[in-house]
Amino acid sequence: MISPILASLALASALISQDLLIRDAIIVSPNVAISEMPLDVRVENGRITAIGEDLVALASETELNAAGLYLTPGLIDSHVHLGGNGGLRGDMVEENIALVRAYRRQEPRSYLYWGFTTLLDLTRSRPFVDHWNGLELSSQLHACRAAPYANGYGMMFEPEEYRYEAPYYIHDPDVAQSIPAEHDPAEHTPEAVVGRIADDGDAICIKTFHEPGFGGLFDFNTAPTEVLDRVAREAETRGLFNLLHATSLLSWHTAVEARAHVMAHGLWHWDQLNGAQVNPETELPAQIEDLLDATIENGITVQLTTGAIHGEVALYDVDFLTSDALAATLPRELITWHSGPQGGWFRDNLERIADDNPVVVENFLGHAPTGEPGETSRAALRRVIAVGRYLHANGAELVLASDTPSSPTYTNAPGLHGYQEMLTMEQMDMIPSEVLAAATINNARLLGLEDEIGSVEVGKQADLLLLSEDPRNEISDMGSIRWVILDGRPVQREYLSAGN
Ligand SMILES: [Zn+2]
C-alpha cells in the first residue's frame, strides 16, 4: 500500500518536510462535490497545490499510494484544555509524577492519533502554546484567554491571596471590599481587559463565564448581562470572538441577551423547568424551544460539549478501561493506575457530592432519584442530546467541541473524547457529512481559518487524514484512520498510538 521508503521515513521521524503526491484517494470533504472517482492530490511546502486525475509525479515528490483509502480534512476541536494530569487528583500528582509526565508526553500524539490536527485551548498562556506548537508532532494550537468575573467561576477556586493576580479578571464594584487595593478597577473594566488581551496579540478569542453554581452546588458571583455584552462588543471591535460558558437556562438566556458569539456548553441545567412537561416530538419544554430559537436567530455558534456529560456516564462503562481505543490513547501504566484502588476517585467523588446534596439532585432530576447509578449524568445527557437535535433541525451552527478534559478523569482522554463527541452528534440526527463539517469547516470558520484549513481544496494547508473506511456511511468510520498528514508530512497512525 505504501512504498517501503515512505513507511520507514514516517516511522523514523515523520518529520521530513517533503513534497507529496497522494495517489488515488477518494476525497470526502466539505465544499467538495461527492465523487467516487479516485483522485491525486499534490502537496508542496505543506499546501495542496493540485487535485486531479493521473497527475505526473515530479522528481522531488514522494508518492503515497492511497488506493482504496478516503481522504478527509484533519479534524478541529475548538474546546480543549491541554497539559492536564491524566485524570489524577491534584494531591496525587506528586507521588505519581512519572505517570503525569507519561501522560503529557502522549497527549499531543493522542490528539493526532484521533485525527485532530487543529485545537483551540480556552485558557492556556502563550508560553504553553508556543511550547506545544514547537513539538515535533503536535496539532496546530490556537488560544483563547479567560476573563472571569471578580469572585465568579473561573477564579473562585484560587486561594484568596493569589486570586486577583489573574491579569484578566473583570471588576465588580459589589465585591470591591475583597479586592486588594493595589488592583486598579480602571484596569479591569471589560474594555481594559479585552484591550490587554488583544494587545498581547496571540489569543484569537475571549472566554467569559455565566455560572451561578452548577444547579445549586455552589454560589458563584455572576456578571450582569450588560458587562458580558460589553466584553463581546469590545472583542468584536478588536477582532476577537467571545465564548461564554453557560450550562443552565438562566445562563443561556443571559448569553443570548449579551449577544455572545459562541455558547460554550450544552443546556443541561433546566432550572425551574427540570420537571416540566416536554413536547413529545422534541423532548423539550416549550420555553426551551423558544430560547433555542433565539440562540439560532442571534447567530450564536454552539459548542454542545456533550463529552462533559458523556465522560461521567462512561465512568459506569465497565469495558471502557480495557478498550483498545483507550489503550491507544493513554499510556499503559496510567490505565493500570486507573484500574487500581485509587483510580475510582473521581466517580466516588461524584457519588459523594450527590449523596451530600439530595435536594440539589432532586431539583436537577425534577423528581426523586430512582437509585440508578449516574442518574443525574444520564438525565443531563438525554437533555443535551434533545437540545442538540432541536438546534440542528432548526439550522443552528454547531461546531465540534469536546471540552477535553471537562473533568479530571480517564474517560476524558485526549482525542478519543473528541471522537466520542462526533458519535454523540450522530444521535442528534446529524448525518455523517454534517458531523464531519462540524468537526472541520464549521470550526475553521469559527477560528477565522476557513481559507487555510477545514476542507480538501487547492490552496489549503495539507492537514489531512487517510481512512480505510468511508466516513460518509457512519461517522464511527472516522476511527479508521491509517495516515495523519500534518502540514504535508505523512505519519502512520500506529506510530502515534500510546501502545507503540
Ligand atoms: Zn472547558
Side-chain angles (χ1 to χ4, degrees), residues 112-135:
L112 293 173
Y113 180 90
W114 290 102
F116 292 94
T117 53
T118 302
L119 301 172
L120 179 63
D121 189 295
L122 295 203
T123 47
R124 278 296 181 175
S125 66
R126 181 176 223 158
F128 182 95
V129 174
D130 289 347
H131 169 75
W132 179 280
N133 284 331
L135 293 172

Side-chain angles (χ1 to χ4, degrees), residues 79-81 122 207 245 264-265 305 403-406:
H79 191 141
V80 301
H81 303 279
L122 295 203
K207 188 185 189 191
H245 163 106
H265 301 304
T305 69
D403 193 13
T404 306
S406 31

Side-chain angles (χ1 to χ4, degrees), residues 317-337:
D317 176 358
V318 289
D319 297 326
F320 188 79
L321 267 170
T322 55
S323 65
D324 292 343
L326 194 66
T329 308
L330 294 183
R332 188 185 312 139
E333 60 271 35
L334 186 58
I335 296 175
T336 304
W337 185 88

Side-chain angles (χ1 to χ4, degrees), residues 270 277-280 282-286 288-289 292 383 386-387 390:
W270 287 359
Q277 283 285 329
V278 299
N279 173 345
T282 64
E283 301 176 85
L284 296 168
I288 289 184
E289 293 180 10
L292 300 182
R383 285 177 192 164
V387 164
Y390 186 92

Side-chain angles (χ1 to χ4, degrees), residues 82 102-113 116 119 132 135 137-139 414 496:
L82 301 174
Y103 171 78
R104 290 188 187 166
R105 266 197 308 277
Q106 178 58 32
E107 187 183 35
R109 294 169 160 264
S110 290
Y111 277 106
L112 293 173
Y113 180 90
F116 292 94
L119 301 172
W132 179 280
L135 293 172
L137 279 174
S138 60
S139 326
L496 299 160

